[in-house]
Amino acid sequence: MTATIDIQRVKESRLAMLDFATLQFGKEFSDHMFVADCIDGVWQEPKIMPFGPLPSSPAQSALHYGQAIFEGMKAFRTADNQIQLFRPIDNFNRLNISAERMAMPPIPESIFMEGLLQLIKLDQAWVPAQEGYSLYIRPVYYATEEALGVRPSSSYRFVILTSPAGKYYADPVKVLVETEYTRASEGGMGYAKAAGNYGGSLHPTKMAKEKGYDQLIWMDAKEHRFAEESGTMNVMFVIDGKLVTPALSSSKLAGITRDSILKLAGSMNIPVEERNISVEELVAAHKAGHLQDAFGVGTAANLSPISLIGYEGKDYHLPPVAERAISNRLGDALNDIKYGNAADTFGWILKVN
Ligand code: COI
């Protein structure tokens, strides 16, 4: 099945007004957006239209009961001026996993993929050519029924926005291990990319920022011992030459960049362990000189080195980024595939033009 998409173009592109030198993550939006509504379980004819406000009611149930989920993905411009998407089908699948958890109807693959491809084709001039830049793509799906009863909405809106972006973190990230608040518990909705998971993180993160940190490392909700993930990315460590990362569970987001890094590490014969990692283990490894690296991985963050980990009043500094052989190799290999400088032996790339 292919979706027929009505396309309404902008009268004049805003691209010429964009200043790449001052670009901030998620602040500039390209000319068009994709919009599809689902009413009483029936998908209406989707459209591509100029980016801008959409009518909404203050009674729409997403605002009251949080049926709102999203994805993060990217389009890259290659050296020979091709535009390519990285693992879009994995974002599609994860969006529907989140939808199921939030009692929202699944999005048909034809609507997601056709909408995505036609939107990126139309706004391909917005995919930056500068090194390290890309077009960030934000699919968002939310409940639109005007209703205050606590039950699934009868109508939903699926929108895809795009936004040219450089680095999410300009510098290595200072993270604080959060010892009071937790992000998600087993059986909760931590694995869903639900707006509420991010809303709940903002107050603890704000407090960490007031202490000079950029982000948190969340711990498990049951024992407050094991590292879960960071606010905008999954976390990975190198301990004694092994790449160690928290095993997935219902409280963690199954990051697509996380999965890509683990597959790349496997292909490079880097030993990988997916398991519980307690913060005491990290501190002990640091004291013994065995904690060689810590970094975050995510679509927006890409591979972001962590410069220090704060825990119970003490900062544990990591080695200089230039000395981090494993993550530098993995980050380069990932970027080479994304930007088309290396063969895509994993089948991750979808070419747009
Ligand atoms: C992403 O990496 O795409 C995310 O969604 C994380 C964050 C920017 C909210």
Side-chain angles (χ1 to χ4, degrees), residues 25 70-73 94 136-138 168 193 198 231-233 298-301:
F25 178 83
F70 68 96
E71 272 302 321
M73 52 205 295
R94 191 173 62 182
Y136 184 76
I137 303 166
R138 171 55 62 87
Y168 192 87
K193 213 160 167 61
Y198 294 81
T232 48
M233 48 199 189
T299 298

Side-chain angles (χ1 to χ4, degrees), residues 284-315:
H286 187 273
K287 284 187 180 147
H290 297 162
L291 183 62
Q292 294 148 342
D293 199 347
F295 55 97
V297 288
T299 298
N302 203 25
L303 190 157
S304 290
I306 289 173
S307 56
L308 63 87
I309 302 174
Y311 179 58
E312 292 189 333
K314 198 167 174 336
D315 286 340

Side-chain angles (χ1 to χ4, degrees), residues 19-256:
D19 179 6
F20 283 94
T22 56
L23 204 59
Q24 287 177 49
F25 178 83
K27 297 285 274 185
E28 304 288 345
F29 296 94
S30 49
D31 286 329
H32 300 93
M33 62 185 176
F34 171 82
V35 183
D37 288 325
C38 180
I39 302 171
D40 293 326
V42 180
W43 284 90
Q44 312 295 302
E45 195 170 293
K47 42 184 179 288
I48 288 178
M49 57 198 287
F51 170 80
L54 289 167
S56 77
S57 163
Q60 71 175 1
S61 53
L63 299 176
H64 300 264
Y65 307 124
Q67 278 187 299
I69 59 176
F70 68 96
E71 272 302 321
M73 52 205 295
K74 280 179 173 171
F76 300 88
R77 188 179 291 278
T78 65
D80 58 353
N81 246 343
Q82 302 289 307
I83 307 297
Q84 52 187 38
L85 294 161
F86 184 72
R87 304 190 68 171
I89 203 72
D90 295 283
N91 290 95
F92 163 71
N93 287 329
R94 191 173 62 182
L95 188 60
N96 275 344
I97 289 171
S98 302
E100 184 185 38
R101 180 64 182 82
M102 305 306 283
M104 300 165 75
I107 298 173
E109 184 176 332
S110 57
I111 290 187
F112 184 98
M113 290 306 295
E114 281 290 317
L116 176 66
L117 285 168
Q118 292 207 31
L119 180 69
I120 304 304
K121 261 184 210 156
L122 184 63
D123 277 348
Q124 60 182 277
W126 287 79
V127 183
Q130 289 87 338
E131 201 190 327
Y133 283 65
S134 57
L135 186 70
Y136 184 76
I137 303 166
R138 171 55 62 87
V140 60
Y141 185 34
Y142 53 95
T144 49
E145 185 183 350
E146 290 184 314
L148 300 183
V150 183
R151 55 172 172 71
S153 173
S154 62
S155 59
Y156 297 88
R157 179 159 284 163
F158 173 53
V159 182
I160 308 179
L161 320 169
T162 71
S163 172
K167 280 188 171 179
Y168 192 87
Y169 294 112
D171 298 308
V173 189
K174 300 184 202 120
V175 295
L176 176 67
V177 176
E178 173 57 59
T179 50
E180 184 186 353
Y181 296 95
T182 53
R183 175 184 172 275
S185 58
E186 284 287 318
M189 59 181 206
Y191 69 94
K193 213 160 167 61
N197 285 332
Y198 294 81
S201 76
L202 298 178
H203 172 66
T205 308
K206 179 169 170 257
M207 293 200 305
K209 285 190 175 162
E210 281 165 13
K211 292 182 196 150
Y213 298 93
D214 305 305
Q215 254 306 334
L216 298 174
I217 289 186
W218 297 104
M219 284 198 284
D220 73 286
K222 199 170 170 193
E223 295 186 64
H224 284 240
R225 281 184 64 205
F226 299 104
E228 293 256 301
E229 61 178 74
S230 186
T232 48
M233 48 199 189
N234 294 107
V235 276
M236 297 194 170
F237 306 95
V238 177
I239 304 174
D240 255 343
K242 291 192 200 99
L243 182 63
V244 189
T245 193
L248 291 180
S249 68
S250 64
S251 62
K252 303 184 196 85
L253 189 80
I256 293 162

